[in-house]
Amino acid sequence: HGAGYSAMCGHAVLALGRFALDYGLVAPSCPETTVCLQCPCGPVTIFVPWDGHRSGNPVRFQSVPAFAAAIDLAVDVPGYGKVVVDIGYGGTFYAFLSAAQLGLDVCSSKTRDLVSAASAVTEAVKKQFKLHHPEKEDLAFLYGTILTDGKDAFSETPTTNICVFADEQVDRSPTGSGVTARIALQYHKGLIQLNQTRTFRSSTTRSMFTGKAVRATKFGDYNAVIVEVSGEAFYTGTATFTVEEEDPLKYGFFFK
């Protein structure tokens, strides 16, 4: 993405699972093929439907152990006042809070307003709270802030959120690593039990993922869970990139 490599990207994992089968990187098996993917955050296991000819949807994956890094953390956000956030890890760290705390509605407020508020939270948390990763301190950074509709308790109805990450980028999906982290937080708070499936919806595209905690585990000093996320990925095209040595912009440029 525009600010470098992701430590984890759930939607990319779903897509790469399908690609690995369709392009022969992994030998397929019916009705579902297991694909192991090494991500910067650690190994991720993908389960891809296979009908004997091509991959299909939905694809699901189980990520690295997810945990609650902080609960009910009071943060002073310039321009918005004091808010209370949770910080969860799902392959990368996110701050979570309801948009209502910032005077916004995740479903109806302007995206620009949501992005500005979430970015302010991210910067405030970075300054006021030090993260710790049990194995890799280079992963101990806040990737972004996820604003929610506040519906954290288990329900059959979808809960909506928007993820603002990296350099004020907005995720087009509910965010696979974010769903993983949010499930871990809900489990830690006793709001969801093992194998209870929740549906998460993007406030921008309305696309949906499901997530559930499938087993409890330990990750360093943290009580953690393994979370399974399910969603869809589709092919949109192919591209060939060419580098000519005399091209002064061959290493790319950033435009915003």
Side-chain angles (χ1 to χ4, degrees):
H1 59 72
Y5 287 103
S6 299
M8 172 62 184
C9 178
H11 218 152
V13 165
L14 299 176
L16 281 166
R18 291 197 62 195
F19 178 84
L21 267 66
D22 293 330
Y23 284 80
L25 303 182
V26 174
S29 60
C30 293
E32 186 177 69
T33 304
T34 300
V35 179
C36 296
L37 184 66
Q38 181 68 39
C39 296
C41 64
V44 174
T45 304
I46 319 169
F47 305 94
V48 187
W50 179 259
D51 65 5
H53 302 284
R54 66 188 294 269
S55 67
N57 284 302
V59 181
R60 56 194 178 95
F61 70 86
Q62 293 180 4
S63 190
V64 294
F67 57 86
I71 297 293
D72 296 333
L73 178 69
V75 179
D76 188 27
V77 183
Y80 296 91
K82 187 160 288 187
V83 299
V84 177
V85 306
D86 296 330
I87 300 177
Y89 178 78
T92 190
F93 290 94
Y94 295 99
F96 292 83
L97 73 160
S98 67
Q101 286 197 64
L102 302 164
L104 299 168
D105 185 294
V106 75
C107 296
S108 62
S109 294
K110 293 180 179 178
T111 300
R112 181 66 256 175
D113 294 339
L114 294 168
V115 169
S116 297
S119 298
V121 172
T122 298
E123 292 308 309
V125 173
K126 285 180 178 179
K127 293 176 181 177
Q128 299 173 44
F129 184 77
K130 180 173 175 57
L131 292 167
H132 166 67
H133 189 278
E135 294 180 348
K136 304 174 184 177
E137 280 307 311
D138 61 334
L139 295 179
F141 65 93
L142 190 69
Y143 193 35
T145 292
I146 296 179
L147 303 180
T148 77
D149 58 9
K151 298 175 182 177
D152 290 326
F154 175 72
S155 172
E156 298 287 348
T157 59
T159 175
T160 303
N161 60 233
I162 183 173
C163 175
V164 181
F165 66 99
D167 186 20
E168 292 197 333
Q169 291 179 281
V170 177
D171 199 339
R172 50 89 71 196
S173 76
T175 310
S177 54
V179 166
T180 302
R182 197 172 170 200
I183 287 283
L185 287 168
Q186 293 172 0
Y187 180 81
H188 180 84
K189 290 182 168 185
L191 300 175
I192 193 170
Q193 305 301 312
L194 291 179
N195 292 308
Q196 282 189 318
T197 300
R198 290 212 70 186
T199 302
F200 298 83
R201 178 169 52 205
S202 162
S203 71
T204 53
T205 65
R206 316 302 286 176
S207 63
M208 290 189 282
F209 285 168
T210 62
K212 62 181 178 180
V214 294
R215 69 178 183 276
T217 186
K218 292 284 289 186
F219 192 41
D221 295 332
Y222 292 104
N223 292 320
V225 285
I226 299 299
V227 176
E228 182 174 290
V229 175
S230 178
E232 295 181 321
F234 298 95
Y235 290 97
T236 58
T238 59
T240 300
F241 296 94
T242 303
V243 173
E244 292 188 301
E245 284 304 316
E246 61 271 26
D247 181 359
L249 299 177
K250 60 179 176 290
Y251 297 118
F253 58 93
F254 183 68
F255 179 80
K256 183 176 182 180

